[in-house]
Every structure is written in structure tokens, then in C-alpha cells.
Amino acid sequence: AQSVTQLDSQVPVFEEAPVELRCNYSSSVSVYLFWYVQYPNQGLQLLLKYLSGSTLVESINGFEAEFNKSQTSFHLRKPSVHISDTAEYFCAVCGLEGAQKLVFGQGTRLTINP
Amino acid sequence: GAVVSQHPSWVICKSGTSVKIECRSLDFQATTMFWYRQFPKQSLMLMATSNEGSKATYEQGVEKDKFLINHASLTLSTLTVTSAHPEDSSFYICSARQGARNEQFFGPGTRLTVL
């Protein structure tokens, strides 16, 4: 079984400042890792994913996440945030085998202040 | 590509009635669909996994007789909340996966309010 911990429930930052949203996971098997973003009253949109290969993955809107196997982490970062980045961010993990069910973290609400 | 729709997007019903929510994969065949429930300001909790043509697999604590899931075709899964009560009010989100692909594509969600 897998579990995911997002250490911060809320992260307020000023516009154009850097941000890091933390995610740690626990699993007895190899996993895939995901970050999803959810805007109010909407479903989830995939932000980026780590499946294999390079441990640093990037999204098209400037976010990046680095898979650190030794620290079992997959923190999300952006060097300069915009007001439009205000949303709820979920880290998720699924095992490589079996039903491949996604297990979500508790979510981090990112609030960008002008 | 990989678009998933849900209908309705918002439904309000009286206590005791049943509500059906549809989840459709619009441009791909979804061999597996997942149903999640999300309470306000909380994370998504998996309710059940459904594979086309077979019975759904429910997570522990989810009543299968209350949340009926049908996955009759490769593009449609339905969730029926039977005899809904106010505590069933929630945001229901489905996702779909194609074959052995490792990515799930999420629908926009359905907000259910039971009066």
C-alpha cells in the first residue's frame, strides 16, 4: 500500500516569488508520481508526472518537480508564481503493478497575493 | 485528446431520491474507470474501480448497495446514489484510464446537494 503526505495545507506567497510545495510518499514497491491542480469547483488537471528516467520533470507552465528516491519526496517548485497559479495542488502516487490506484495527499492550497 | 465528461455538473435533490451521475470518455476507450468523492477542503477518496463488463471493486467502507456503479461500455460508467441523504452531499469525480496506461484522466466533477 502507498501513502502520501503533503506537509503544508496552505502556502501563501507574493506574486513573482518562488514557491515549493512539499510531498513525501511511502511505498513498499516502485511507484509513479503525479502532481494535479484543482481550480475551484473543477476536476483535477494533471500538472506533471514522474514515470521513469530523468528525476526532474517539468510542466508547460513553469512548474517542476524532482523525484528523490532516497528521501521519498516529490516536491513541486516554481521560480516565479503568478496570480493565476492560485489553486489546490494534490500530490498522488500509484504502484506500478496491480490495479494502479491513485493515492492522493491531503492537498496544499496555494494562495498568491499581489 | 483524453477528455472525460461528467453529467450533470450540479444536481440538487430531495432526501430519499436516487441520483445518477454519468462519466464518459469522449475520445478514447476507457477499460477502467474510477469514482472518487471529495468533501469540502479535503482530498479525493477513491470509492470504487470499475472495469468494462465486470462488477466494480469497492473500497473498504463504501456501501456497494448505496453507490451502484455500472460500466456497460468502454466509454460510459454511471454512479447511482440510491436513497440519497444529506450526508451524501459531496463532489463526485470520475477518472478514466485507457488499457495499461499509467495515467488517469479526470472528469470535471459533479456536485451533489441533498436537501
Side-chain angles (χ1 to χ4, degrees):
Chain A
Q2 293 81 40
S3 67
V4 179
T5 301
Q6 290 181 243
L7 297 167
D8 306 296
S9 59
Q10 297 186 59
V11 174
V13 296
F14 287 107
E15 193 173 16
E16 298 184 2
V19 70
E20 178 181 80
L21 306 185
R22 296 179 292 171
C23 172
N24 287 87
Y25 70 93
S26 171
S27 177
S28 57
V29 300
S30 295
V31 296
Y32 297 130
L33 294 155
F34 305 83
W35 274 100
Y36 287 90
V37 59
Q38 184 180 34
Y39 298 99
N41 295 310
Q42 294 186 28
L44 271 66
Q45 300 175 30
L46 179 66
L47 195 57
L48 44 75
K49 60 185 177 183
Y50 170 77
L51 306 179
S52 64
S54 173
T55 57
L56 183 65
V57 291
E58 300 176 349
S59 72
I60 59 174
N61 56 354
F63 282 95
E64 64 178 30
E66 185 161 19
F67 170 53
N68 188 317
K69 188 173 183 179
S70 63
Q71 297 186 4
T72 61
S73 68
F74 191 53
H75 301 331
L76 181 70
R77 303 183 183 94
K78 188 170 185 178
S80 177
V81 295
H82 189 267
I83 290 284
S84 60
D85 293 324
T86 296
E88 189 87 17
Y89 291 80
F90 292 96
C91 181
V93 62
C94 78
L96 270 62
E97 305 295 333
Q100 295 188 343
K101 296 186 287 188
L102 275 174
V103 175
F104 287 88
Q106 302 90 326
T108 297
R109 179 165 297 279
L110 177 61
T111 304
I112 312 300
N113 299 306
Chain B
V3 178
V4 177
S5 70
Q6 281 184 242
H7 177 80
S9 57
W10 198 307
V11 57
I12 302 173
C13 69
K14 292 182 179 180
S15 184
T17 60
S18 294
V19 175
K20 180 183 284 188
I21 302 170
E22 293 185 350
C23 177
R24 293 182 184 273
S25 57
L26 300 184
D27 51 2
F28 67 100
Q29 293 185 329
T31 51
T32 305
M33 286 186 169
F34 303 84
W35 285 96
Y36 297 85
R37 184 174 182 177
Q38 185 182 30
F39 289 107
K41 300 186 186 301
Q42 294 189 28
S43 188
L44 279 73
M45 298 301 295
L46 180 65
M47 299 175 65
T49 303
S50 76
N51 292 293
E52 186 265 339
S54 61
K55 290 184 178 180
T57 302
Y58 290 82
E59 296 299 299
Q60 190 172 8
V62 178
E63 299 176 59
K64 62 179 181 180
D65 294 329
K66 181 166 184 63
F67 299 100
L68 301 178
I69 293 173
N70 185 293
H71 192 164
S73 77
L74 285 171
T75 59
L76 173 65
S77 176
T78 61
L79 167 68
T80 301
V81 183
T82 62
S83 187
H85 290 282
E87 58 265 30
D88 299 323
S89 298
S90 188
F91 196 48
Y92 292 87
I93 303 175
C94 75
S95 71
R97 187 175 70 201
Q98 181 182 26
R101 291 186 62 176
N102 45 54
E103 184 177 345
Q104 295 180 26
F105 300 95
F106 285 82
T110 296
R111 184 163 300 284
L112 170 63
T113 301
V114 184
L115 302 177

